[in-house]
Amino acid sequence: MKRMLVFSAHAADFVWRAGGAIASVCAQGGQARVVALSYGERGESGELWKDPKQTIERVKAIRHAEATRAAQALGASFECLDLGDYPLRVNDKAVERLIEIIVETAPDLLLTHAEKDPFNPDHPVTYQAVEKARQLATGAGVASAFRTVRPPELLLFEPHQPELCGFVPTLFLDITPVWEKKQKAMEAFASQGYLRQYYSERAAHRANHARRIAGHKNIERAEAFQRVLPQVVRSL
Protein backbone atom coordinates (compact mmCIF):
# COMPACT_ATOMS: atom_id res chain seq x y z
CA MET A 1 0.00 0.00 0.00
CA LYS A 2 1.77 3.12 -1.23
CA ARG A 3 1.61 6.50 0.49
CA MET A 4 1.60 9.55 -1.77
CA LEU A 5 2.24 13.13 -0.69
CA VAL A 6 1.45 15.97 -3.10
CA PHE A 7 2.54 19.57 -2.56
CA SER A 8 0.52 21.98 -4.69
CA ALA A 9 1.30 25.71 -4.94
CA HIS A 10 -2.39 26.55 -5.27
CA ALA A 11 -5.56 24.75 -4.32
CA ALA A 12 -6.35 23.41 -7.80
CA ASP A 13 -2.91 22.56 -9.21
CA PHE A 14 -2.95 18.96 -7.98
CA VAL A 15 -6.12 18.19 -9.91
CA TRP A 16 -4.98 19.35 -13.35
CA ARG A 17 -1.47 17.95 -13.13
CA ALA A 18 -1.67 14.84 -10.95
CA GLY A 19 -5.34 13.97 -10.44
CA GLY A 20 -4.96 10.71 -12.32
CA ALA A 21 -1.88 9.68 -10.36
CA ILE A 22 -3.62 10.39 -7.08
CA ALA A 23 -6.71 8.45 -8.10
CA SER A 24 -4.57 5.53 -9.31
CA VAL A 25 -2.74 5.20 -5.99
CA CYS A 26 -5.99 5.38 -4.01
CA ALA A 27 -7.76 2.90 -6.32
CA GLN A 28 -5.01 0.40 -5.58
CA GLY A 29 -5.54 0.70 -1.84
CA GLY A 30 -2.92 3.39 -1.20
CA GLN A 31 -3.24 6.72 0.57
CA ALA A 32 -2.82 10.21 -0.85
CA ARG A 33 -2.38 13.44 1.10
CA VAL A 34 -2.64 16.72 -0.78
CA VAL A 35 -1.16 19.85 0.78
CA ALA A 36 -1.67 23.20 -0.93
CA LEU A 37 0.66 26.00 0.06
CA SER A 38 -1.98 28.58 -0.84
CA TYR A 39 -5.58 28.77 -2.02
CA GLY A 40 -4.63 30.70 -5.14
CA GLU A 41 -7.16 33.28 -4.01
CA ARG A 42 -5.54 36.21 -5.78
CA GLY A 43 -4.11 34.88 -9.02
CA GLU A 44 -5.90 31.58 -9.63
CA SER A 45 -9.55 32.47 -9.01
CA GLY A 46 -10.45 34.83 -11.81
CA GLU A 47 -13.98 33.51 -12.27
CA LEU A 48 -14.81 34.27 -8.64
CA TRP A 49 -13.60 37.87 -8.86
CA LYS A 50 -16.19 38.70 -11.50
CA ASP A 51 -18.50 39.30 -8.54
CA PRO A 52 -17.96 42.99 -7.61
CA LYS A 53 -18.78 42.22 -3.98
CA GLN A 54 -16.26 39.40 -3.72
CA THR A 55 -13.86 39.18 -0.76
CA ILE A 56 -10.58 37.37 -0.13
CA GLU A 57 -12.00 35.34 2.73
CA ARG A 58 -15.02 34.24 0.69
CA VAL A 59 -12.78 33.20 -2.20
CA LYS A 60 -10.63 31.16 0.18
CA ALA A 61 -13.72 29.43 1.55
CA ILE A 62 -14.98 28.60 -1.94
CA ARG A 63 -11.57 27.30 -3.03
CA HIS A 64 -11.26 25.19 0.10
CA ALA A 65 -14.64 23.61 -0.57
CA GLU A 66 -13.77 22.98 -4.23
CA ALA A 67 -10.40 21.43 -3.37
CA THR A 68 -11.91 19.25 -0.69
CA ARG A 69 -14.56 17.92 -3.09
CA ALA A 70 -11.94 17.34 -5.77
CA ALA A 71 -9.63 15.46 -3.40
CA GLN A 72 -12.53 13.32 -2.17
CA ALA A 73 -13.42 12.45 -5.77
CA LEU A 74 -9.87 11.13 -6.18
CA GLY A 75 -9.85 9.36 -2.80
CA ALA A 76 -7.39 11.76 -1.15
CA SER A 77 -7.34 14.19 1.76
CA PHE A 78 -6.80 17.94 1.35
CA GLU A 79 -5.36 20.66 3.53
CA CYS A 80 -4.02 24.15 2.92
CA LEU A 81 -1.23 26.07 4.65
CA ASP A 82 -2.75 29.39 3.49
CA LEU A 83 0.56 31.15 2.80
CA GLY A 84 -0.90 33.53 0.24
CA ASP A 85 -0.28 33.68 -3.50
CA TYR A 86 1.14 35.99 -6.17
CA PRO A 87 3.60 36.18 -4.61
CA LEU A 88 3.84 32.97 -2.60
CA ARG A 89 6.34 33.45 0.22
CA VAL A 90 7.74 30.43 2.04
CA ASN A 91 9.67 31.43 5.15
CA ASP A 92 11.72 29.23 7.48
CA LYS A 93 8.67 28.43 9.62
CA ALA A 94 6.77 27.23 6.57
CA VAL A 95 9.70 25.06 5.45
CA GLU A 96 9.76 23.51 8.93
CA ARG A 97 6.08 22.70 8.52
CA LEU A 98 6.77 21.04 5.17
CA ILE A 99 9.46 18.94 6.83
CA GLU A 100 7.03 17.92 9.57
CA ILE A 101 4.43 16.90 6.98
CA ILE A 102 6.94 14.77 5.08
CA VAL A 103 8.11 13.06 8.27
CA GLU A 104 4.51 12.55 9.48
CA THR A 105 3.45 11.03 6.16
CA ALA A 106 6.64 9.08 5.36
CA PRO A 107 5.56 8.93 1.71
CA ASP A 108 6.69 6.45 -0.89
CA LEU A 109 5.89 9.00 -3.59
CA LEU A 110 6.40 12.76 -3.37
CA LEU A 111 4.94 14.96 -6.13
CA THR A 112 5.28 18.69 -6.73
CA HIS A 113 5.88 21.36 -9.37
CA ALA A 114 8.70 21.61 -11.87
CA GLU A 115 11.74 23.72 -11.09
CA LYS A 116 11.08 26.42 -13.70
CA ASP A 117 8.00 28.28 -14.88
CA PRO A 118 8.33 31.65 -16.64
CA PHE A 119 4.58 32.25 -16.39
CA ASN A 120 3.89 31.43 -12.75
CA PRO A 121 6.20 32.73 -10.00
CA ASP A 122 4.61 30.57 -7.29
CA HIS A 123 5.41 27.20 -8.88
CA PRO A 124 9.25 27.45 -8.72
CA VAL A 125 8.98 28.77 -5.16
CA THR A 126 7.02 25.66 -4.25
CA TYR A 127 9.57 23.40 -5.91
CA GLN A 128 12.48 25.02 -4.06
CA ALA A 129 10.72 24.79 -0.69
CA VAL A 130 9.63 21.17 -1.19
CA GLU A 131 13.05 20.09 -2.43
CA LYS A 132 14.73 21.69 0.59
CA ALA A 133 12.22 20.10 2.95
CA ARG A 134 12.66 16.72 1.26
CA GLN A 135 16.41 16.80 1.71
CA LEU A 136 16.13 17.76 5.37
CA ALA A 137 13.33 15.27 6.09
CA THR A 138 15.45 12.46 4.70
CA GLY A 139 18.67 13.58 6.34
CA ALA A 140 20.11 14.07 2.84
CA GLY A 141 20.31 10.26 2.68
CA VAL A 142 22.50 9.72 5.74
CA ALA A 143 22.02 9.07 9.47
CA SER A 144 21.16 12.25 11.38
CA ALA A 145 20.64 13.52 14.92
CA PHE A 146 16.96 14.17 14.19
CA ARG A 147 14.08 12.03 13.01
CA THR A 148 14.17 11.29 9.30
CA VAL A 149 12.27 9.14 6.81
CA ARG A 150 13.30 6.90 3.94
CA PRO A 151 13.80 8.98 0.77
CA PRO A 152 10.60 8.94 -1.30
CA GLU A 153 10.54 8.83 -5.07
CA LEU A 154 10.34 12.46 -6.21
CA LEU A 155 8.26 13.21 -9.29
CA LEU A 156 7.54 16.59 -10.85
CA PHE A 157 4.21 17.06 -12.53
CA GLU A 158 3.82 18.63 -15.93
CA PRO A 159 3.69 22.45 -16.19
CA HIS A 160 1.08 24.23 -18.29
CA GLN A 161 3.67 24.91 -21.02
CA PRO A 162 6.32 22.21 -20.54
CA GLU A 163 8.54 23.19 -23.47
CA LEU A 164 9.19 26.59 -21.83
CA CYS A 165 9.87 25.14 -18.39
CA GLY A 166 12.66 22.70 -19.13
CA PHE A 167 10.27 19.84 -18.42
CA VAL A 168 11.26 16.57 -20.10
CA PRO A 169 8.90 13.65 -19.34
CA THR A 170 10.63 10.56 -18.01
CA LEU A 171 7.48 8.73 -16.92
CA PHE A 172 4.03 8.37 -18.46
CA LEU A 173 1.23 7.05 -16.27
CA ASP A 174 -1.81 5.39 -17.83
CA ILE A 175 -4.80 6.98 -16.09
CA THR A 176 -7.45 5.49 -18.36
CA PRO A 177 -8.98 3.33 -15.57
CA VAL A 178 -9.44 6.39 -13.29
CA TRP A 179 -10.19 9.01 -15.93
CA GLU A 180 -13.79 9.47 -14.78
CA LYS A 181 -12.55 10.24 -11.27
CA LYS A 182 -10.19 12.91 -12.58
CA GLN A 183 -13.01 14.38 -14.65
CA LYS A 184 -15.19 14.60 -11.55
CA ALA A 185 -12.36 16.25 -9.63
CA MET A 186 -11.82 18.80 -12.40
CA GLU A 187 -15.53 19.59 -12.45
CA ALA A 188 -15.33 20.55 -8.77
CA PHE A 189 -13.34 23.67 -9.67
CA ALA A 190 -15.89 26.11 -11.03
CA SER A 191 -13.41 28.88 -10.24
CA GLN A 192 -11.15 27.61 -13.04
CA GLY A 193 -13.57 25.78 -15.28
CA TYR A 194 -11.78 26.99 -18.41
CA LEU A 195 -8.91 24.59 -17.69
CA ARG A 196 -10.98 21.40 -17.98
CA GLN A 197 -10.82 21.22 -21.75
CA TYR A 198 -7.10 22.02 -21.83
CA TYR A 199 -6.15 19.25 -19.42
CA SER A 200 -8.56 16.79 -21.00
CA GLU A 201 -6.81 17.38 -24.31
CA ARG A 202 -3.39 17.18 -22.64
CA ALA A 203 -4.29 13.76 -21.18
CA ALA A 204 -5.23 12.55 -24.65
CA HIS A 205 -1.97 13.89 -26.14
CA ARG A 206 0.12 12.19 -23.48
CA ALA A 207 -1.80 8.96 -24.05
CA ASN A 208 -0.79 9.13 -27.70
CA HIS A 209 2.86 9.45 -26.66
CA ALA A 210 2.53 6.61 -24.16
CA ARG A 211 0.94 4.30 -26.75
CA ARG A 212 3.78 4.88 -29.19
CA ILE A 213 6.43 4.26 -26.55
CA ALA A 214 4.89 1.19 -24.90
CA GLY A 215 2.85 -0.24 -27.73
CA HIS A 216 -0.23 -0.50 -25.51
CA LYS A 217 -3.14 0.44 -27.74
CA ASN A 218 -5.67 0.67 -24.92
CA ILE A 219 -4.13 3.77 -23.26
CA GLU A 220 -6.68 6.55 -23.76
CA ARG A 221 -5.56 9.05 -21.12
CA ALA A 222 -2.16 9.59 -19.50
CA GLU A 223 -0.22 12.00 -17.29
CA ALA A 224 3.45 12.92 -17.67
CA PHE A 225 6.01 13.25 -14.88
CA GLN A 226 9.71 13.94 -14.60
CA ARG A 227 11.96 12.03 -12.21
CA VAL A 228 14.39 14.10 -10.15
CA LEU A 229 16.51 11.22 -8.84
CA PRO A 230 17.69 8.07 -10.63
CA GLN A 231 15.59 4.95 -10.24
CA VAL A 232 17.30 2.25 -8.19
CA VAL A 233 16.57 -1.37 -9.16
CA ARG A 234 17.94 -4.79 -8.20
CA SER A 235 17.61 -6.20 -11.70
CA LEU A 236 16.88 -5.00 -15.21
Side-chain angles (χ1 to χ4, degrees):
M1 185 178 71
K2 289 188 175 181
R3 292 187 298 273
M4 172 186 281
L5 177 59
V6 181
F7 283 113
S8 180
H10 312 107
D13 292 333
F14 74 95
V15 172
W16 316 121
R17 295 166 171 82
I22 295 169
S24 294
V25 166
C26 294
Q28 295 170 20
Q31 299 176 346
R33 180 180 183 180
V34 176
V35 179
L37 274 62
S38 79
Y39 284 112
E41 66 272 10
R42 284 159 48 87
E44 302 278 304
S45 307
E47 293 299 310
L48 299 178
W49 287 106
K50 291 180 180 179
D51 181 351
K53 297 181 180 180
Q54 192 61 270
T55 66
I56 284 284
E57 292 308 315
R58 184 163 176 264
V59 170
K60 286 182 180 181
I62 292 172
R63 295 279 284 182
H64 185 86
E66 289 179 336
T68 300
R69 288 197 300 273
Q72 289 175 345
L74 301 173
S77 65
F78 172 81
E79 59 201 89
C80 183
L81 303 185
D82 196 10
L83 300 179
D85 69 316
Y86 288 79
L88 170 64
R89 297 184 176 92
V90 184
N91 58 24
D92 290 345
K93 183 178 180 180
V95 171
E96 289 177 3
R97 180 56 186 144
L98 298 184
I99 296 170
E100 291 175 356
I101 291 172
I102 295 174
V103 173
E104 289 171 6
T105 310
D108 301 295
L109 301 168
L110 178 61
L111 276 62
T112 194
H113 294 270
E115 184 176 6
K116 300 177 182 179
D117 194 330
F119 297 103
N120 194 309
D122 293 351
H123 293 172
V125 170
T126 300
Y127 167 84
Q128 294 294 339
V130 171
E131 174 60 357
K132 183 176 183 179
R134 180 197 67 82
Q135 292 184 22
L136 291 169
T138 61
V142 298
S144 306
F146 46 88
R147 183 185 172 194
T148 61
V149 295
R150 182 174 60 84
E153 180 175 8
L154 178 57
L155 299 174
L156 308 181
F157 33 67
E158 183 169 12
H160 192 75
Q161 297 192 38
E163 62 278 359
L164 299 179
C165 300
F167 178 88
V168 179
T170 55
L171 185 153
F172 288 108
L173 175 66
D174 179 9
I175 62 170
T176 306
V178 295
W179 175 241
E180 290 185 2
K181 293 183 179 180
K182 179 166 182 174
Q183 281 185 307
K184 185 175 180 180
M186 291 194 294
E187 290 169 0
F189 276 98
S191 58
Q192 287 182 288
Y194 58 91
L195 287 176
R196 295 175 199 161
Q197 180 178 351
Y198 179 88
Y199 281 99
S200 294
E201 293 175 353
R202 173 60 68 181
H205 295 159
R206 288 312 193 187
N208 176 275
H209 300 159
R211 286 195 300 270
R212 295 189 60 155
I213 292 171
H216 299 319
K217 297 182 179 180
N218 58 347
I219 299 178
E220 299 177 1
R221 296 290 189 277
E223 289 176 343
F225 299 91
Q226 183 176 6
R227 294 180 183 274
V228 175
L229 303 172
Q231 183 179 19
V232 179
V233 298
R234 294 185 180 275
S235 63
L236 295 178

